[in-house]
Amino acid sequence: MDYKEEILVSEKKLRNKTIISFTVFILLLAAAVFAWQKLHEQPKVADVPKPLRTVLNANENFFSNFLSNNHLAKSFPVSQAVKNVRVNGNVGMEADFDPSTWKLQVIRKPGDTLFVTLDEIKALPKTDIVFDFKCIEGWSQVTHWGGVKFSDFAAKYNLNAQTQMKYAGLVTPNKKYYVGIDMPSMMHPQTILCYEMNGKPLPMNQGYPLRLIIPVKYGIKHLKRIGTISFSNERPPDYWYNQGYDYYSGL
Ligand SMILES: Nc1nc2c(c(=O)[nH]1)N[C@H]1C(S)=C(S)[C@@H](COP(=O)(O)O)O[C@H]1N2
Ligand SMILES: [Mo]
């Protein structure tokens, strides 16, 4: 076969191939559009179409089991902590709050609530933590917090049966902001019931009198102004999970 002949054959084939390629392209495009529409017709679970939620849950289980439970978040010297700590999110922090009547409510089981005052919490061994606080909105700050390790608190108040369960649920006094935390993260040595920021009492807008600081998680889980803590083997409701975010939000 000489050179000229080869070119002629190729041009004919080329046109056919172009038509086939284009047809295949259109068919695949139509299939993709169809699949996309079908996906969005699916029932939603926590604001996400069910098939996508299934994959997200599988990913969450994988990472929560294998990665984030035992590692320590990097800590920093106190001198690196910022003085102007950002205030972000005020759901559940409304002015209807009366600090003088506040007690932490630990719901040991339905109908059996333990009440603990701020002074009693302050009497427990204190832990300070300086770490890089990360918000899913894309900012982070090295900040300094003080309080009692939740694991120390649980030991002191004999919450053994409770901490055998899979989750803790924390809710603001007015019930408007709430988080669910897997127990390994709750019992993590850096997780504190926090009543100090930069060595001073927690400011009102930062969660006075008591907030959660949980360095192995994104900011959304650091609930400000704890009203109640409860325990369960099912996932407690979670404010940002209900808006479609990752349930564990681990780092
Ligand atoms: N009660 C309550 N706690 C909350 C929030 C909120 O809106 N309400 N926002 C969360 C989010 S998204 C972040 S990033 C941190 C911010 O904590 P800060 O205001 O002390 O910086 O608080 C978390 N805890
Ligand atoms: Mo956040």
Side-chain angles (χ1 to χ4, degrees):
M1 173 160 52
D2 69 16
Y3 176 72
K4 231 180 185 175
E5 200 181 352
E6 197 187 7
I7 295 284
L8 283 173
V9 169
S10 292
E11 277 181 353
K12 232 189 257 165
K13 277 194 173 166
L14 191 64
R15 193 185 306 127
N16 287 341
K17 282 198 170 178
T18 305
I19 290 167
I20 291 166
S21 297
F22 191 68
T23 309
V24 168
F25 171 74
I26 292 294
L27 287 174
L28 285 176
L29 188 67
V33 170
F34 179 77
W36 176 258
Q37 280 173 347
K38 273 278 162 254
L39 187 59
H40 283 271
E41 285 164 13
Q42 298 298 307
K44 292 194 169 184
V45 179
D47 217 34
V48 175
K50 206 173 170 204
L52 293 184
R53 192 32 93 188
T54 305
V55 175
L56 283 173
N57 285 350
N59 288 346
E60 285 172 5
N61 283 336
F62 178 84
F63 287 110
S64 74
N65 287 334
F66 292 102
L67 291 180
S68 75
N69 291 344
N70 296 312
H71 79 283
L72 289 182
K74 184 176 173 7
S75 60
F76 295 78
V78 175
S79 60
Q80 287 195 29
V82 300
K83 293 284 163 276
N84 291 321
V85 181
R86 184 164 173 159
V87 175
N88 204 62
N90 53 11
V91 181
M93 311 275 298
E94 290 75 8
D96 57 8
F97 175 66
D98 178 4
S100 68
T101 59
W102 181 90
K103 280 181 189 154
L104 176 65
Q105 299 185 34
V106 182
I107 304 172
R108 285 183 287 219
K109 53 181 193 252
D112 172 19
T113 301
L114 167 75
F115 292 84
V116 189
T117 66
L118 186 57
D119 285 341
E120 288 168 326
I121 292 168
K122 285 184 171 170
L124 299 175
K126 188 177 149 201
T127 297
D128 281 84
I129 171 101
V130 183
F131 76 107
D132 196 15
F133 190 113
K134 295 187 178 78
C135 172
I136 41 164
E137 288 168 18
W139 55 267
S140 79
Q141 273 190 325
V142 174
T143 45
H144 173 200
W145 310 89
V148 57
K149 284 183 190 175
F150 179 75
S151 59
D152 288 346
F153 176 87
K156 159 79 188 178
Y157 285 98
N158 299 315
L159 301 174
N160 299 327
Q162 287 75 11
T163 54
Q164 296 299 308
M165 303 189 99
K166 286 190 181 153
Y167 299 96
L170 287 76
V171 185
T172 56
N174 68 5
K175 301 188 168 51
K176 290 193 178 154
Y177 196 84
Y178 37 91
V179 297
I181 309 281
D182 56 282
M183 201 59 74
S185 299
M186 201 65 197
M187 296 295 278
H188 186 277
Q190 292 174 313
T191 298
I192 60 176
L193 301 178
C194 162
Y195 50 81
E196 272 184 16
M197 188 185 82
N198 288 334
K200 299 193 194 79
L202 213 51
M204 266 296 168
N205 56 13
Q206 234 100 21
Y208 183 89
L210 193 70
R211 75 177 295 173
L212 185 66
I213 287 292
I214 182 160
V216 294
K217 304 265 185 201
Y218 275 105
I220 47 176
K221 294 288 188 180
H222 297 230
L223 180 134
K224 298 193 279 191
R225 188 166 297 153
I226 307 171
T228 59
I229 304 180
S230 63
F231 307 90
S232 63
N233 284 320
E234 280 73 52
R235 285 176 171 187
D238 186 273
Y239 186 89
W240 284 107
Y241 175 74
N242 290 347
Q243 320 281 319
Y245 284 82
D246 180 81
Y247 191 84
Y248 293 93
S249 291
L251 283 163

